[in-house]
Amino acid sequence: MSKNDGKATQGKRQSAHLPRKRFYRARAHSNPLSDSHFPIPISPADVDYSSHYPHFLHSSKNDPDEDDVLPKIRFADIGCGFGGLLVKLSPLFPDTLMIGMELRDKVTEYVKERILALRASNPGQYENISVVRTNSMKYLPNYFGKGQLSKIFFLFPDPHFKEKNHRRRVISLQLLDEYAYVLEVGGIIYTITDVEELGDWMKFCLDSHPLFSVILEEEFEEDPVVKLLASATEEGQKVARNGGQTFFAVFRRVAPEDASAAL
Amino acid sequence: MEEKVHTGEINREAEAAPALIAVHPLKRSIALALGYELRVFDFEMDCAVSLTDEAYSPCHSDAIRAICFGANGRLFVSAGDDKLVKIWRTDTWHCIRTVCSDKRVSAVAISHDGLFVTFADKFGVVWIDTLEEDDQGQASVDKKAVPLLGHYCSIITSLKFSPDGKFIATADRDFKIRITIFPKGPLKGAHEIQNFCLGHTEFVSCLTFICPPDCNQSFLLSGSGDATVRLWDHISGHLLDTCDVGKKAGLLDSKEKVEDSPAVTDINALPDGSFVAAAIQGLHGVIILKCDVPARRLFIAKFVFVEESFVPTSLGLSSSAKLLWVVMGASNVSKLGVSKMAQLRVLSDLDKFLSNEHGDYPVILKDKDMPGGEKLLLKFQGSDHDHVTKQDAALAETATAVKVAMQNLLTKKQYSLEKRDFRKRDRNDRKFKKQQF
């Protein structure tokens, strides 16, 4: 599993060894309500692209006037877990910057190590993905400007079964306002779950929100990304192994005029 | 400073509630909220007002946390810890509607057309209810308010409509200001976010809009726990200028810890933006700012010293009369001899100040020269005042109490690693861990 290619790269633990998950065990849940202790960028302009995507910054250093043309993050995986989706998406869209957001610190560390190891053993690849530890339910607008993203992913979110905990769900009418804000018109929101009740809930929220319009199964079957939703992540693979059913809700962010016309 | 309390439910009973003041836009009346009491004085009738309510008690039963006049002064709203939002007609001071909230209310606003009341609760949800009367001509007390928008699990400190009524601005404890389009049918929710105004490095405590005459749009001013006042173009979300009022007032010199940074507590401006007043913790008076929007500049014009130990808890600007009312007070200050106290002062001749900034304006009026005079003072400061023998000490005590209360509410607690571990001691997954990362 681990390849030692002899070319030791700099940095304390930057080897080509993929990290072992068992050293990064964490609870499946993390409390999105608690105030946490990680740094938050004050605004999207303060996001440190150079530390996340050094390769991309390095290659455009020749043109100091090219600041405005620096690529921005376009895909966000909310609750990225162990990074499965990002790793699969990276080669499909090599020029697109993507980021995973995860609340649990140990899991975030795992993903960081995984990406570094992949970059080391596959030179030039996986430079477009990164991960950040943050609470996306509170701080999404700190990372992304209006209409910045073209895709946003919610794979197997925590169902929060008890009714009193429903307000902790990552998809809600209230939070959809913010997801609509960071998504460009025409951008797509992908959700998948193996919990039918949660699937119904997410679909209901998206249907009720004026800025999202449903993408039917016939349409999204052609999207190469959709095939990854169920298979790319550890969670998805576990569901497949157990023969579980999955429930998709894929919607497009629409302009307000279009939405009211549809009503 | 770290007490063994359950997160979120700090000793509420011991928290001081600051006194709040609001002035009718045409200076017909003035209202003071002190603890659960709402004291109103009518300038035109030159007498104190009795509040009436047919359906409920005319009194709130717990600290009032937000008040404002709305719909050009036709209406007044008060709300707070008793989870009630009461809307009053300002001609009769009769309560026309009482809306029940599930949580304690932290901010209120009435739409300019007087059709809707909006209020924010401590969980970051902004609710909206219609003020239209139904066919019988009676306001229905059974209808519940519906959610309009939300700042996820963050306390909303201020809620304001833009002058043209197109936007609603909400500020929260997570340093954010959200500008949302206020739709034609708001009861379905306000889902389209225009922008976020991001830049403050601490909780945002107050907001106010201005509409300078030579500009074709309005602009937003905000005050924060980071001791700055900022000027924004809320339509684009751009920060136009930042004024380090805390630093300029000399309040930051000895402060190293962020938690001690003095918070801007209130900001009021004349609608045309020619005069902006701000209050900041630790300053015994008021800061007057000026904005030059085309030049993107916000700067301090003058510090006005009111009197020793007088740190305003709320400001009320009367645009028609060019007077600035300042109140300092609080209820539930445990170390005071009385349960509550308030002191009122007036800064007058704002127009003279505007035309000659180097003159001795604004002037702090003597008690007898204040509009409403002794009658107003008796109603507002009244009997509590008589029991307070040592004025200075009482004011200083009040200032400390409201500052601590605001910090407890809005500043995030920073725990040391050991303390965090101690707080997690009951969690199941901690018990089986052999190794700590």
Side-chain angles (χ1 to χ4, degrees):
Chain A
M1 170 180 354
S2 49
K3 286 182 192 160
N4 196 343
D5 58 6
K7 291 179 207 161
T9 45
Q10 295 107 343
K12 5 181 202 174
R13 300 208 287 164
Q14 206 161 330
S15 69
H17 295 276
L18 285 168
R20 300 293 297 276
K21 253 186 234 166
R22 72 159 184 267
F23 296 125
Y24 296 85
R25 272 289 159 252
R27 305 189 318 166
H29 307 277
S30 197
N31 188 356
L33 304 178
S34 70
D35 290 331
S36 298
H37 310 276
F38 38 82
I40 311 287
I42 285 294
S43 75
D46 297 306
V47 174
D48 188 3
Y49 279 69
S50 62
S51 71
H52 286 293
Y53 312 100
H55 178 86
F56 275 79
L57 239 74
H58 178 74
S59 57
S60 52
K61 250 189 189 157
N62 305 322
D63 261 313
D65 301 320
E66 288 283 321
D67 266 344
D68 301 326
V69 191
L70 270 180
K72 291 207 168 130
I73 296 170
R74 302 284 277 150
F75 295 177
D77 183 359
I78 309 297
C80 66
F82 293 96
L85 179 68
L86 289 170
V87 168
K88 286 279 173 6
L89 279 176
S90 172
L92 291 185
F93 302 88
D95 297 320
T96 304
L97 296 184
M98 318 175 188
I99 198 151
M101 297 186 134
E102 174 56 53
L103 194 53
R104 297 168 284 175
D105 56 356
K106 280 197 275 297
V107 177
T108 314
E109 284 309 307
Y110 173 88
V111 181
K112 274 190 198 157
E113 297 294 321
R114 185 177 183 184
I115 294 174
L116 289 174
L118 286 169
R119 284 178 182 174
S121 51
N122 301 279
Q125 289 183 53
Y126 301 105
E127 297 289 345
N128 60 339
I129 57 172
S130 186
V131 67
V132 66
R133 185 196 175 208
T134 190
N135 184 346
S136 62
M137 291 164 85
K138 287 179 93 150
Y139 303 116
L140 210 61
N142 292 73
Y143 288 89
F144 309 117
K146 188 172 188 178
Q148 181 176 329
L149 300 179
S150 56
K151 293 192 196 298
I152 191 168
F153 298 91
F154 296 87
L155 268 52
F156 302 96
D158 192 330
H160 291 293
F161 291 107
K162 293 186 193 167
E163 225 181 288
K164 69 176 170 104
N165 287 339
H166 282 187
R167 67 197 170 105
R168 299 191 197 181
R169 285 180 166 171
V170 74
I171 299 284
S172 68
L173 266 181
Q174 176 191 317
L175 283 167
L176 283 174
D177 293 351
E178 293 194 12
Y179 305 151
Y181 169 80
V182 297
L183 263 179
E184 62 184 6
V185 172
I188 304 178
I189 178 170
Y190 298 84
T191 72
I192 184 176
T193 179
D194 57 325
V195 178
E196 184 168 6
E197 193 264 312
L198 180 66
D200 289 342
W201 165 274
M202 297 199 287
K203 187 160 192 308
F204 168 75
C205 289
L206 284 160
D207 270 329
S208 313
H209 197 281
L211 298 177
F212 287 102
S213 134
V214 68
I215 298 180
L216 298 167
E217 216 167 305
E218 305 91 65
E219 273 186 72
F220 73 63
E221 260 166 13
E222 313 204 338
D223 186 340
V225 166
V226 171
K227 293 185 190 52
L228 295 176
L229 296 185
S231 59
T233 60
E234 289 70 14
E235 193 67 34
Q237 287 155 13
K238 184 166 63 165
V239 168
R241 274 201 305 277
N242 297 339
Q245 220 184 328
T246 52
F247 305 92
F248 290 77
V250 181
F251 278 66
R252 183 173 288 117
R253 195 320 192 176
V254 295
E257 307 83 49
D258 300 341
S260 48
L263 290 170
Chain B
M1 268 291 268
E2 294 163 351
E3 297 129 342
K4 283 188 190 176
V5 287
H6 194 60
T7 324
E9 286 304 315
I10 315 164
N11 277 352
R12 262 201 59 244
E13 293 69 36
E15 296 280 286
L20 305 170
I21 194 150
V23 189
H24 186 282
L26 302 172
K27 211 208 125 208
R28 294 208 178 119
S29 48
I30 184 169
L32 173 76
L34 184 59
Y36 62 80
E37 276 186 58
L38 192 54
R39 298 176 183 173
V40 185
F41 190 88
D42 186 326
F43 287 122
E44 288 174 349
M45 306 289 281
D46 194 36
C47 65
V49 162
S50 287
L51 306 166
T52 53
D53 188 343
E54 274 167 9
Y56 288 74
S57 156
C59 290
H60 283 274
S61 54
D62 204 342
I64 298 172
R65 296 290 180 171
I67 53 173
C68 70
F69 282 89
N72 293 322
R74 247 191 324 114
L75 299 170
F76 178 84
V77 59
S78 60
D81 290 352
D82 64 351
K83 304 181 190 172
L84 294 180
V85 180
K86 293 178 93 69
I87 298 107
W88 313 81
R89 274 181 62 159
T90 57
D91 48 0
T92 58
W93 286 100
H94 178 76
C95 178
I96 59 166
R97 169 76 66 88
T98 299
V99 183
C100 298
S101 166
D102 290 332
K103 310 281 181 200
R104 299 197 292 277
V105 179
S106 55
V108 281
I110 296 184
S111 61
H112 299 310
D113 52 18
L115 292 177
F116 300 101
V117 63
T118 56
F119 56 94
D121 67 22
K122 294 276 203 68
F123 273 78
V125 181
V126 177
W127 301 84
I128 185 166
D129 199 3
T130 176
L131 291 175
E132 274 166 15
E133 294 174 355
D134 62 19
D135 297 333
Q136 283 92 40
Q138 285 171 342
S140 164
V141 294
D142 294 331
K143 276 191 298 181
K144 272 208 82 176
V146 293
L148 181 71
L149 58 93
H151 288 226
Y152 190 71
C153 288
S154 189
I155 298 173
I156 291 184
T157 52
S158 184
L159 175 56
K160 290 270 150 71
F161 282 93
S162 63
D164 56 9
K166 285 193 190 150
F167 300 104
I168 186 164
T170 39
D172 70 17
R173 171 235 213 198
D174 283 289
F175 322 171
K176 289 208 270 291
I177 299 168
R178 168 174 158 171
I179 309 293
T180 315
I181 292 175
F182 190 70
K184 297 279 184 310
L187 296 178
K188 294 193 187 132
H191 296 290
E192 210 186 330
I193 300 175
Q194 172 71 14
N195 249 308
F196 282 89
C197 295
L198 302 176
H200 278 298
T201 55
E202 256 302 334
F203 59 83
V204 183
S205 47
C206 44
L207 295 173
T208 195
F209 278 98
I210 54 168
C211 206
D214 45 353
C215 304
N216 56 2
Q217 65 165 86
S218 53
F219 294 87
L220 182 64
L221 287 162
S222 62
S224 157
D226 63 7
T228 65
V229 173
R230 295 183 197 238
L231 175 67
W232 310 85
D233 170 1
H234 56 282
I235 296 180
S236 64
H238 288 143
L239 172 62
L240 299 179
D241 200 11
T242 301
C243 185
D244 281 301
V245 293
K247 197 166 171 195
K248 299 219 162 81
L251 297 168
L252 291 185
D253 300 335
S254 54
K255 309 282 186 258
E256 286 130 20
K257 287 195 282 176
V258 175
E259 297 92 71
D260 288 343
S261 138
V264 175
T265 50
D266 203 358
I267 186 162
N268 266 209
L270 289 179
D272 65 0
S274 56
F275 179 90
V276 179
I280 183 170
Q281 288 168 346
L283 186 72
H284 304 179
V286 166
I287 307 172
I288 302 179
L289 297 131
K290 290 196 76 66
C291 10
D292 180 351
V293 175
R296 297 162 75 111
R297 281 193 66 215
L298 177 65
F299 54 96
I300 296 180
K302 194 168 192 175
F303 288 101
V304 179
F305 174 75
V306 171
E307 70 187 58
E308 197 57 44
S309 300
F310 192 100
V311 178
T313 50
S314 180
L315 306 174
L317 190 55
S318 164
S319 31
S320 57
K322 302 286 190 289
L323 296 171
L324 176 67
W325 298 81
V326 295
V327 71
M328 178 189 190
S331 65
N332 233 341
V333 182
S334 45
K335 293 183 186 155
L336 277 186
V338 291
S339 65
K340 55 175 84 133
M341 67 155 273
Q343 288 289 304
L344 194 64
R345 301 285 179 273
V346 180
L347 275 66
S348 80
D349 294 319
L350 301 183
D351 45 351
K352 294 204 181 113
F353 166 77
L354 288 174
S355 47
N356 173 18
E357 286 178 26
H358 300 289
D360 280 328
Y361 304 110
V363 170
I364 299 166
L365 295 180
K366 293 201 180 21
D367 288 0
K368 57 183 175 63
D369 297 327
M370 277 166 66
E374 289 297 335
K375 275 194 200 168
L376 170 64
L377 288 172
L378 188 66
K379 171 76 179 175
F380 278 19
Q381 298 179 167
S383 40
D384 315 315
H385 178 51
D386 298 339
H387 298 293
V388 178
T389 45
K390 286 187 184 161
Q391 181 91 316
D392 251 22
L395 289 177
E397 206 53 64
T398 305
T400 312
V402 299
K403 176 166 180 160
V404 168
M406 193 175 214
Q407 254 174 22
N408 285 343
L409 183 69
L410 298 177
T411 311
K412 294 177 200 230
K413 284 182 148 53
Q414 295 294 328
Y415 295 107
S416 64
L417 271 171
E418 303 85 48
K419 186 74 186 176
R420 262 189 261 163
D421 275 358
F422 174 74
R423 288 167 62 84
K424 289 183 188 175
R425 67 197 182 282
D426 287 333
R427 269 175 39 175
N428 286 332
D429 61 330
R430 309 285 295 187
K431 289 178 182 157
F432 299 109
K433 267 198 176 21
K434 290 175 192 161
Q435 197 179 356
Q436 298 241 352
F437 281 91

